[in-house]
């Protein structure tokens, strides 16, 4: 079962590495991409065919163990880089920590390669999985002491940083990969503990136990990094969908008030198929709709609001939709008054309190308004209020 899971994760990692190679252009995404690459290389080394090919190519019987261990160091370092950047995003300075991390990683890799070469060429006895002989102190012991010390420190710091980050992240989209990576690094600490026991004893139990623990780590890192690597694409699609949903409301306001739009509205088809930058487009759209609402409230009177609420009461609108329907109605009534050239009110009503505290709440509120914007219910309400306006002017 463990072999099957590793094989599935191997294909998953390589697929994401290839598909998301564009992540190399992003400073924040780059560590996750490299973590997946090295995890994929490390799992490739565990395949029997790869081990045989390396043995035939180099003639070194334990070269697969060295490569997989170096890949583990690489994964730990890149995950530490990701966690450190996320934690220090709004903190300065970051340069000393970065230099210390790179120096420690370089010294660990260099020491492992040198000691592995000495063990190999001097034919120092080793056990299965390249473990040292208990009760002896050789260059081989230095190899394992260096590897385990670095991995314990790097993984421990990463795990602690991820726990802190997990408490501060509000978006479920970001919490999912962070949670997976937190679980993965925490369980890997247990795996490293089993390796420490295995180094000093002949017992096979720590090795067997560590195999299952390492599988949990591999699953968590593979899934966590894969999800995180696709977050920009998911966010781009979500922004595109939300921007498209707000298009009718936004275009109506921009047509009535051209001064609120940085760029004039394009046709619906062009807007859907050729977004310039989905996230930037959505941000601008939220700001421009908010500006339109603040301006258009000058064309709504308290009498209009009373008429709107009376019509909605007759329609028996669900309570969770009432505020959105009222907002859509008064905005359309205001737009009608604005188009008719009617004078604005002397004192604007407080009609735009919902949303506005942050981008997420603003988007949530405007989505509710956009859902009812073109519904028959709103059209009936607006028609009824405008009819009363006409009757009032005739009287």
């Amino acid at each position: 079962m463990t072999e099957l899971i590793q094989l599935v994760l191997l294909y998953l990692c390589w697929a994401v590495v290839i598909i998301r190679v564009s992540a190399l252009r992003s400073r924040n995404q780059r560590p996750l991409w490299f973590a997946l690459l090295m995890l994929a290389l490390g799992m490739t080394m565990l395949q029997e065919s790869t081990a045989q090919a390396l043995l035939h190519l180099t003639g070194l019987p334990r070269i697969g163990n060295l490569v997989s261990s170096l890949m583990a160091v690489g994964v730990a370092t890149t995950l530490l880089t990701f966690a450190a950047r996320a934690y220090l995003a709004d903190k300065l300075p970051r340069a000393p920590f970065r230099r210390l991390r790179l120096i420690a990683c370089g010294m660990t890799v260099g020491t492992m390669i040198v000691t592995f070469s000495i063990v190999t060429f001097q034919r120092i006895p080793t056990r299965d999985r390249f473990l040292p002989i208990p009760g002896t102190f050789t260059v081989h012991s230095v190899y394992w002491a260096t590897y385990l010390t670095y991995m314990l420190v790097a993984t421990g710091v990463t795990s602690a940083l991820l726990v802190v980050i997990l408490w501060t992240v509000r978006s479920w989209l970001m919490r999912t990969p962070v949670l997976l990576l937190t679980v993965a690094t925490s369980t890997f600490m247990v795996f490293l503990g089993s390796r420490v026991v295995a180094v000093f004893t002949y017992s096979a139990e720590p090795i067997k136990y560590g195999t299952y623990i390492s599988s949990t780590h591999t699953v968590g890192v593979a899934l966590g990094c894969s999800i995180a690597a696709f977050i920009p694409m998911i966010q781009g699609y979500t922004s595109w969908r939300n921007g498209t949903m707000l298009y009718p409301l936004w275009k109506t306001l921009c047509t009535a008030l051209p001064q609120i739009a940085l760029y004039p509205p394009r046709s619906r088809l062009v807007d859907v198929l050729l977004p310039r930058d989905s996230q930037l487009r959505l941000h601008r759209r939220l700001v421009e709709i908010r500006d339109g609402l603040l301006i258009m409230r000058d064309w709504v009177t308290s009498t209009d609001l009373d008429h709107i609420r009376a019509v909605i009461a007759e329609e028996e609108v669900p309570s969770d939709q009432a505020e959105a329907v009222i907002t859509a109605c008064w905005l359309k009534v205001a737009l009608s008054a604005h188009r008719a050239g009617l004078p604005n009110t002397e004192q604007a009503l407080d009609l735009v309190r919902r949303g506005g505290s942050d981008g997420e709440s603003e988007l949530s509120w405007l989505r509710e308004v956009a859902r009812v914007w073109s519904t028959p219910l709103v059209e009936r309400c607006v028609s009824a209020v405008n009819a009363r306006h006409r009757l009032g002017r005739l009287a």
Side-chain angles (χ1 to χ4, degrees), residues 333-355:
V333 168
L335 286 166
S336 298
H338 181 267
R339 283 194 299 269
L342 298 179
N344 58 353
T345 59
E346 295 181 358
Q347 186 174 2
L349 299 175
D350 186 11
L351 298 173
V352 287
R353 287 177 294 175
R354 291 288 299 271

Side-chain angles (χ1 to χ4, degrees), residues 52-60:
Q52 292 298 325
L54 276 176
L55 177 61
H56 177 74
L57 183 65
T58 63
L60 302 176

Side-chain angles (χ1 to χ4, degrees), residues 49-98:
S49 58
T50 306
Q52 292 298 325
L54 276 176
L55 177 61
H56 177 74
L57 183 65
T58 63
L60 302 176
R62 299 294 189 180
I63 187 65
N65 296 97
L66 173 64
V67 175
S68 61
S69 295
L70 292 178
M71 292 303 103
V73 170
V75 171
T77 304
T78 50
L79 290 180
L80 176 59
T81 301
F82 167 75
R85 285 180 180 176
Y87 178 74
L88 299 173
D90 56 349
K91 302 177 179 65
L92 292 174
R94 290 179 287 181
F97 181 78
R98 179 175 180 269

Side-chain angles (χ1 to χ4, degrees), residues 3 8 26 42 50 68 88 140 155 171 217 221 291 313 316 368 380:
E3 291 76 9
V8 172
S26 170
T50 306
S68 61
L88 299 173
H140 196 191
T155 306
S171 169
H217 168 262
V221 172
D291 289 343
E316 297 182 354
E368 291 183 36
R380 288 196 301 271

Side-chain angles (χ1 to χ4, degrees), residues 14-29:
W14 278 117
V16 176
V17 164
I18 295 170
I19 294 172
R20 286 293 293 140
V21 69
S22 59
L24 287 171
R25 296 197 298 264
S26 170
R27 182 176 181 274
N28 293 328
Q29 289 282 306

Side-chain angles (χ1 to χ4, degrees), residues 159-205:
S159 183
L161 291 176
L162 288 173
V163 169
V164 175
I165 295 167
L166 186 63
W167 283 106
T168 60
V169 173
R170 292 189 298 171
S171 169
W172 67 268
L173 191 60
M174 283 299 300
R175 285 183 68 88
T176 301
V178 172
L179 176 61
L180 287 169
L181 292 176
T182 303
V183 172
T185 53
S186 300
T187 55
F188 197 63
M189 291 293 292
V190 180
F191 167 77
L192 291 172
S194 72
R195 277 292 183 262
V196 172
V197 175
V199 166
F200 291 101
T201 66
Y202 281 103
S203 174
E205 291 302 316

